[in-house]
Amino acid sequence: MISKFRQQKKMTVFALWFVIAAFVATIFFAWGIGDKVAQSHYAIKVNETVISDADFSQKLDATRENFRSLFGNQVDQIMKDNLLEKTVMNDLIGQALLIEEAKRLNIPVSDAEVQMYIQNMQSFQVDGQFNIEQYTNILARNRMTPAIFEQKVKEDITAQKMTEMIKNSVSVTDKEIEMEYKFRNTNAVINYIEFNADDFAGTVKVDEAAVKKFYDENKEAYRVPEKANFIALVFDPSLMKNIDIPVSDKEIEDYFIRNKASLIQPESVKASHILFKVDDWNNKQDVDAKEKLAKEVLGMAKSGADFAELAKKYSADSSGQNGGDLGYFKKGQMVPQFEAAAFKLKNGEISDIVKTQFGFHIIKTVDHKIETSPTLEQAKPQIADLIKKEKGQAAFKSFVFDKYKEIVAESNITAYNKKNGNKLPVVTLNGITETGVGTPLEGKPDMVKKLMSMSKTEVSQIMDFDDKKVIFEMTDKFPSFIPPFDKIKGLVEGEYKGQANIKAAEKAAAEASKLASIQDAAAKTGKTFVTPKAFNRNEPIENLGMNNDLMDSIFKAKPGSFLQKPYTVSGKVFLVQVVSLTPPATTVTPEMKDQLVSALLGVKQNEAVKDYVESLKKTAKIEVSPQYKQFYVK
């Protein structure tokens, strides 16, 4: 059973993103789930539930777009063999089965729950608050009435409750925790011989026909992505800083009455600390050494040594550079053990050794502020500043929106500037791709996605860029293309040679792997084997790196085994002998137990839901439209 869980944990990052993307897409696009009336163009029928062709297509497109925004054109390579279609179909079938099962079990969902769920959806919020106009407009654009949408939300909540009920039936045993701890913390020692592909560079003959074939088989790898050029107007809120914004006494008094609770200053402490960080609580030697050092430094601090200088010298926390200063913090901002000690100390007092999950601390409380509730007179300056800030933000938004309307009235930024003598200074952004990498838009995938969907000369909506407002105009657009072979022949030839060199290294390693031992392989190839430092499953092998296939083989082998198969890692080929496998000498600590329970429980819960859905499938009547048959995996 535990091995099954481990296989589940090996889900790729891509698969994890699929779960997220599929969930986001479901609530807006899986409208057909729950419909009782058979639709003329169905994709799937699950018992009495009909999933229409449009439902399937919409969710497929939405999920693909989610992935394209994350992975770019690589999504087409990742999703080979109709994997995306198969996964979307499986997800829709599972959702329908869980909803039907929840209804059979009479799992309740109240109207209040539906209302709260919808009000918390960011798509329907303006400035963090639910907006009924936004809600009805979005539904109208999707050809949805509130009644139908709310029914679908109710079904979605029903499915979630059903899923949670299944997950809550799962627990983790002490035996599973022990096995997982041993699995994670067994240390391996190996010997390896390295076959560097570059050593075979002179052995490969370049055949132009072979290079052209390599190009034809890997054309997508050479695709130049779609690009676009933009100009942008950037509006900085500092534009409003010199504007005189009047605030009346009545406004201040009204604000004070409405927000009195938020003006209360909670109890807080200003403290400094010295951290002796512990990375592995199972490493008793390291833990004892850190605790010993902490006690020595504590003695120095209590004997009058400068606390800030001690922090600079000994603290493993970044605050050590500032003498350990953490500034002021309220209750609930620090871990419980640290907080309890800091709030008990008097000003200038130094704590004993405080143990937390991060290591050992020495804490010095510098100042202690009690909770205060200001009067109207005391709060006036603060409130006036807050109101000025709010009014300034509103004025800034109005200014930008008015300018945007003027620009749109002239068609775009270029036309506006042409008419007004280049009055608005613009920023030029050239060569933007769907990833935004290497540009100011890097790390803003949603913004890039919206911009790249525009047409030439089109103007964007007003967009938030950090604390600024920006309006973009697309000035040019260049479609994605694959360069012809003769234009990139040198590049292709270099990559062909690299691949051929690796194959030559693999061939040499495979021949040597047939020998009885790594010593014989080293003697035959004239190489010396290397013994890196011990490692566990979660650590890269020194000077070799990480390779899941190799790791599995090492930890499944018997000590002394010569793995008679070459392993390729980052263009280098290795032959490996397992010298020893040593289980952890220590037992599971409470901190580690919590981590293991959390990890195992998540895996077991997901597996339980999957198994439950599979059991429902066995008795369900599932009919797939002929045009989608190839996407259905029983």
Side-chain angles (χ1 to χ4, degrees):
M1 180 67 77
I2 199 78
S3 62
K4 184 179 181 182
F5 299 152
R6 292 196 191 105
Q7 290 301 315
Q8 186 75 1
K9 285 196 297 180
K10 290 180 181 177
M11 183 188 296
T12 61
V13 172
F14 170 76
L16 290 172
W17 276 112
F18 179 85
V19 173
I20 297 169
F23 175 78
V24 171
T26 297
I27 190 64
F28 280 105
F29 295 104
W31 302 120
I33 293 177
D35 289 349
K36 299 295 182 181
V37 180
Q39 300 175 37
S40 58
H41 299 290
Y42 77 94
I44 318 160
K45 293 179 182 178
V46 183
N47 295 326
E48 298 301 315
T49 300
V50 176
I51 300 168
S52 73
D53 178 86
D55 296 332
F56 181 82
S57 298
Q58 286 176 323
K59 181 167 183 181
L60 185 64
D61 290 343
T63 308
R64 182 181 286 110
E65 284 307 307
N66 276 327
F67 279 115
R68 202 172 292 285
S69 68
L70 294 168
F71 301 105
N73 285 330
Q74 290 180 340
V75 71
D76 297 319
Q77 286 292 103
I78 296 169
M79 279 300 191
K80 290 181 178 178
D81 302 320
N82 298 319
L83 180 59
L84 182 63
E85 289 83 355
K86 291 174 182 176
T87 313
V88 167
M89 175 165 286
N90 187 64
D91 183 65
L92 286 171
I93 291 172
Q95 180 89 344
L97 288 169
L98 287 174
I99 290 172
E100 287 191 355
E101 181 70 358
K103 289 178 179 178
R104 186 185 70 81
L105 296 174
N106 294 318
I107 294 177
V109 176
S110 68
D111 291 342
E113 287 178 280
V114 173
Q115 182 179 2
M116 184 64 67
Y117 189 100
I118 292 173
Q119 288 181 351
N120 286 331
M121 293 179 74
Q122 289 186 352
S123 301
F124 303 139
Q125 293 181 356
V126 175
D127 295 330
Q129 298 292 321
F130 176 75
N131 184 284
I132 187 67
E133 184 178 354
Q134 177 97 334
Y135 175 59
T136 53
N137 285 343
I138 290 177
L139 293 189
R141 288 200 298 270
N142 285 276
R143 300 184 300 280
M144 273 288 109
T145 65
I148 294 175
F149 178 74
E150 286 156 20
Q151 176 60 29
K152 303 312 170 185
V153 169
K154 187 172 186 177
E155 290 176 349
D156 189 71
I157 297 172
T158 302
Q160 290 181 27
K161 284 192 171 185
M162 184 68 210
T163 301
E164 287 304 310
M165 187 184 79
I166 299 168
K167 288 183 174 181
N168 291 337
S169 69
V170 175
S171 62
V172 177
T173 67
D174 289 341
K175 183 65 176 176
E176 288 171 339
I177 294 169
E178 182 183 341
M179 289 174 66
E180 183 67 10
Y181 179 70
K182 183 177 178 181
F183 178 84
R184 290 187 181 195
N185 294 285
T186 292
N187 278 335
V189 175
I190 64 169
N191 296 323
Y192 69 77
I193 298 174
E194 178 185 326
F195 294 77
N196 194 322
D198 292 342
D199 295 340
F200 297 83
T203 66
V204 178
K205 292 183 179 181
V206 179
D207 181 323
E208 183 165 341
V211 175
K212 178 62 167 62
K213 182 181 178 185
F214 179 82
Y215 165 80
D216 290 336
E217 292 173 347
N218 297 277
K219 278 186 176 182
E220 280 299 325
Y222 300 104
R223 177 177 289 280
V224 176
E226 181 182 52
K227 294 182 180 181
N229 296 339
F230 296 87
I231 56 174
L233 285 175
V234 181
F235 298 89
D236 195 311
S238 62
L239 287 169
M240 317 306 296
K241 68 180 180 181
N242 295 323
I243 296 177
D244 183 27
I245 300 175
V247 179
S248 69
D249 288 342
K250 180 68 166 59
E251 287 176 303
I252 293 174
E253 185 177 350
D254 289 345
Y255 187 99
F256 180 79
I257 294 171
R258 292 196 312 269
N259 299 280
K260 192 171 183 179
S262 67
L263 297 170
I264 294 173
Q265 296 295 320
E267 181 184 11
S268 63
V269 156
K270 183 179 183 181
S272 299
H273 82 136
I274 305 170
L275 170 65
F276 304 86
K277 190 176 180 182
V278 175
D279 293 315
D280 182 2
W281 288 97
N282 296 308
N283 187 337
K284 189 174 185 303
Q285 184 178 358
D286 181 59
V287 172
D288 290 345
K290 296 288 176 59
E291 186 173 20
K292 181 182 177 182
L293 178 60
K295 289 178 179 177
E296 291 173 358
V297 175
L298 177 63
M300 289 186 269
K302 292 203 170 184
S303 297
D306 188 290
F307 193 91
E309 291 303 316
L310 292 175
K312 290 177 183 177
K313 184 175 180 180
Y314 294 103
S315 184
D317 188 61
S318 59
S319 65
Q321 299 172 7
N322 299 318
D325 184 13
L326 296 171
Y328 284 95
F329 54 87
K330 299 174 288 188
K331 288 184 177 179
Q333 289 185 292
M334 298 291 181
V335 293
Q337 305 94 321
F338 190 100
E339 177 186 288
F343 275 85
K344 282 181 182 177
L345 295 171
K346 296 177 181 177
N347 289 355
E349 192 174 0
I350 297 172
S351 72
D352 291 326
I353 302 297
V354 177
K355 180 182 175 182
T356 74
Q357 66 201 64
F358 303 107
F360 300 103
H361 306 255
I362 302 170
I363 306 169
K364 181 179 180 180
T365 293
V366 179
D367 189 26
H368 197 143
K369 292 182 178 180
I370 62 172
E371 181 179 299
T372 58
S373 180
T375 64
L376 174 60
E377 285 303 312
Q378 291 171 330
K380 264 188 176 181
Q382 179 188 356
I383 294 174
D385 287 342
L386 289 171
I387 294 174
K388 284 182 180 180
K389 185 177 179 181
E390 288 179 0
K391 284 187 172 183
Q393 289 172 343
F396 176 63
K397 287 182 180 179
S398 295
F399 171 77
V400 176
F401 186 65
D402 289 344
K403 191 59 63 180
Y404 179 73
K405 287 191 293 183
E406 292 176 20
I407 290 167
V408 171
E410 297 298 334
S411 180
N412 54 32
I413 300 169
T414 301
Y416 179 92
N417 270 344
K418 185 176 181 180
K419 182 178 180 179
N420 294 279
N422 293 319
K423 185 177 180 180
L424 300 177
V426 297
V427 176
T428 301
L429 298 172
N430 290 335
I432 303 297
T433 67
E434 59 188 4
T435 64
V437 173
T439 75
L441 302 179
E442 186 170 354
K444 301 181 182 295
D446 292 340
M447 179 178 287
V448 175
K449 182 180 178 181
K450 289 178 182 176
L451 293 176
M452 293 302 291
S453 68
M454 291 164 53
S455 302
K456 186 177 176 180
T457 74
E458 185 179 349
V459 175
S460 73
Q461 294 179 328
I462 301 168
M463 294 186 172
D464 292 317
F465 194 100
D466 299 329
D467 62 334
K468 301 175 177 63
K469 302 285 185 184
V470 185
I471 303 169
F472 294 89
E473 177 192 332
M474 181 182 283
T475 55
D476 219 335
K477 197 168 192 176
F478 311 95
S480 172
F481 68 96
I482 298 173
F485 175 68
D486 59 342
K487 294 291 185 182
I488 55 171
K489 181 180 176 182
L491 172 63
V492 179
E493 186 176 296
E495 294 187 356
Y496 171 79
K497 286 180 179 179
Q499 292 291 324
N501 292 342
I502 291 173
K503 289 180 181 178
E506 289 172 340
K507 182 178 179 182
E511 287 297 319
S513 72
K514 296 174 183 176
L515 300 172
S517 67
I518 199 166
Q519 289 81 5
D520 292 342
K524 182 174 180 178
T525 59
K527 295 180 178 291
T528 302
F529 62 78
V530 177
T531 306
K533 67 181 182 181
F535 58 91
N536 63 38
R537 289 176 182 270
N538 301 314
E539 298 173 331
I541 303 171
E542 185 180 26
N543 298 323
L544 190 156
M546 287 288 285
N547 179 284
N548 289 334
D549 188 22
L550 175 56
M551 283 292 191
D552 284 344
S553 298
I554 289 171
F555 286 95
K556 286 178 182 177
K558 293 180 180 179
S561 299
F562 179 36
L563 304 181
Q564 295 184 312
K565 169 188 171 182
Y567 294 86
T568 302
V569 184
S570 302
K572 297 178 180 179
V573 183
F574 299 89
L575 288 181
V576 175
Q577 177 195 36
V578 180
V579 177
S580 64
L581 295 170
T582 308
T586 55
T587 56
V588 184
T589 64
E591 293 90 346
M592 181 60 71
K593 183 175 181 179
D594 289 342
Q595 293 177 23
L596 292 172
V597 168
S598 177
L600 286 174
L601 189 60
V603 173
K604 288 187 71 175
Q605 287 176 335
N606 289 336
E607 191 65 22
V609 174
K610 180 181 175 183
D611 289 345
Y612 199 100
V613 170
E614 289 301 315
S615 69
L616 293 175
K617 279 185 182 179
K618 291 178 181 177
T619 57
K621 181 182 178 182
I622 299 173
E623 183 181 346
V624 180
S625 171
Q627 72 183 100
Y628 296 118
K629 284 283 187 184
Q630 71 271 31
F631 305 144
Y632 180 49
V633 180
K634 295 184 179 181

